[in-house]
Each structure stands twice: as structure tokens, then as C-alpha cells.
Amino acid sequence: MSRLGQSSTVKQVLRDLAALVARVGVGGIFFANGWAKLEDGLKITGANFSAQGAPAPGAWATATASLNA
């Protein structure tokens, strides 16, 4: 392989690595944000089910959140 070919291969690998790091970082932000909202949503939904007298309000909140997602 010529020296020019090696240079472009290294640049491509670095580009791919930078894209991977960016995607993992952004994905982590989305995951953390979504997880916090999911937890808040389950607590509020569970409280609403509990106020209505439903048995196992936490389980029902999880089931409805899973089915509606």
C-alpha cells in the first residue's frame, strides 16, 4: 500500500472513531433523559392508580407504560 493510501485509511479510521464517540455520547444523553422521564411517569401513574384503588398500582403503571410506548 502506498503512503498516501495509509494516510487516507488512518483518517477514515479516526473519522469513524469520532463518529462512534459522538453517537455513544448523544445516545447516553438521550438514554439518561428518557430514563428520568420514564421513572417520573411511572411514579405519577402509579400514584394515580393507587388513588383510584387499583390493586398493584406499580405493576399496572409499568404495564400501561410498556404497552403505550
Side-chain angles (χ1 to χ4, degrees):
M1 183 181 291
S2 70
R3 190 136 172 87
L4 181 60
Q6 288 176 342
S7 176
S8 67
T9 302
V10 171
K11 287 181 183 178
Q12 185 62 43
V13 168
L14 290 175
R15 247 186 248 126
D16 290 345
L17 185 59
L20 176 64
V21 169
R23 288 176 179 156
V24 168
V26 171
I29 291 168
F30 279 119
F31 179 80
N33 194 3
W35 187 261
K37 288 180 179 178
L38 179 63
E39 281 184 340
D40 291 345
L42 289 177
K43 289 175 186 175
I44 292 169
T45 304
N48 289 339
F49 281 136
S50 180
Q52 296 172 2
W60 283 112
T62 302
T64 57
S66 298
L67 294 173
N68 291 323

